Amino acid sequence: QVQLQESGPGLVKPSQTLSLTCTVSGASISSDDYYWNWIRQPPGKGLEWIGYIYSSGNTYYNPSLKSRVTVSIDTSKNQFSLNLSSVTAADTAIYYCVRGIDSSGYYLANWFDPWGQGTLVTVSS
Amino acid sequence: DIQMTQSPSSLSASVGDRVTITCRTSQSLNTYLNWYQQKPGKAPKLLIFAASSLQSGVPSRFSGSASGTEYTLTISSLQPEDFATYYCQQSYSTPHIFGQGTKLENK
């Protein structure tokens, strides 16, 4: 059974950098069939995709956050991480790490499954 | 970027009802459209992938379909555990955006 678990500070001060790590168990983060995502959800609001990384290191970020986001991967630890710089109160959200399944060659589709339980990060002084 | 319009934003229904949620996109996504269910305090859960494929373990009362730029999630007979928020999501191109969500409430 594949599981993802987010970890990191629950409180970050404005203008600082939010850093989270996702530990993956039950699946190899090095597989070419998967890509690894960060998605967030402000309290009471909808879902916002932040970005992804493949085990090769290829990344893509949401243009709305691109200037502040870095996603990295550590295949030796089966972990991937999120850094979001210069945070403000608008970055307060539940942050989810999520596996993406790349089935472009079979189902002609990609999808997110499973999701981590999520971690609430509050930006406040 | 692809634009997505999910409707309705909220819906009141009763157990046993047939419910339909729609996601309209600015261009055809072929089969790159997925549906998720989210219950309060929980992470979203995959229901339908590739527009119409049922995720393993998801009850067969859930189904997905596509016609041009209109994608539909149908619950054939609403059960008490189905009251939740539903999101569509496109993975045809980046950014992989979500619809605005549909909150399904008990009438």
Side-chain angles (χ1 to χ4, degrees):
Chain A
Q1 181 183 1
V2 180
Q3 292 186 316
L4 291 81
Q5 179 67 58
E6 305 88 353
S7 59
L11 181 64
V12 180
K13 289 183 167 50
S15 80
Q16 293 190 343
T17 296
L18 179 161
S19 295
L20 296 173
T21 295
C22 181
T23 300
V24 179
S25 59
S28 172
I29 206 168
S30 299
S31 171
D32 291 338
D33 294 331
Y34 307 136
Y35 58 107
W36 306 94
N37 300 265
W38 289 98
I39 294 168
R40 71 180 183 178
Q41 185 172 36
K45 297 189 178 180
L47 298 163
E48 181 179 30
W49 176 77
I50 298 170
Y52 68 59
I53 189 166
Y54 277 85
S55 60
S56 62
N58 288 342
T59 56
Y60 191 93
Y61 304 135
N62 192 321
S64 67
L65 297 168
K66 185 177 181 179
S67 63
R68 300 193 291 130
V69 172
T70 303
V71 178
S72 58
I73 194 165
D74 186 338
T75 55
S76 68
K77 294 182 178 179
N78 230 37
Q79 295 177 334
F80 65 106
S81 298
L82 169 71
N83 278 352
L84 180 65
S85 64
S86 304
V87 297
T88 69
D91 295 309
T92 293
I94 297 172
Y95 285 77
Y96 296 100
C97 59
V98 188
R99 182 179 69 170
I101 296 175
D102 186 342
S103 189
S104 301
Y106 185 74
Y107 280 103
L108 296 180
N110 303 320
W111 58 89
F112 297 140
D113 181 66
W115 297 57
Q117 66 182 24
T119 187
L120 174 63
V121 179
T122 301
V123 178
S124 175
S125 55
Chain B
D1 291 0
I2 292 172
Q3 307 301 313
M4 299 176 68
T5 303
Q6 186 176 340
S7 62
S9 57
S10 64
L11 177 58
S12 293
S14 301
V15 172
D17 284 354
R18 181 182 180 87
V19 169
T20 298
I21 299 169
T22 299
C23 199
R24 290 185 175 84
T25 60
S26 56
Q27 65 182 80
S28 174
L29 307 180
N30 292 325
T31 53
Y32 286 81
L33 190 287
N34 310 306
W35 291 96
Y36 302 86
Q37 175 194 64
Q38 186 178 32
K39 294 183 178 180
K42 299 293 187 181
K45 168 190 164 184
L46 177 69
L47 295 177
I48 301 286
F49 64 93
S52 61
S53 295
L54 191 67
Q55 170 69 344
S56 175
V58 174
S60 59
R61 61 181 179 274
F62 290 92
S63 64
S65 63
S67 178
T69 60
E70 183 171 300
Y71 297 81
T72 301
L73 173 70
T74 300
I75 309 172
S76 60
S77 179
L78 198 61
Q79 297 302 299
E81 61 267 30
D82 300 338
F83 293 105
T85 300
Y86 294 84
Y87 294 93
C88 57
Q89 176 253 330
Q90 70 87 8
S91 56
Y92 182 80
S93 66
T94 48
H96 292 320
I97 63 171
F98 292 84
Q100 299 89 339
T102 296
K103 187 173 184 179
L104 181 52
E105 298 174 307
N106 197 348
K107 185 184 290 183

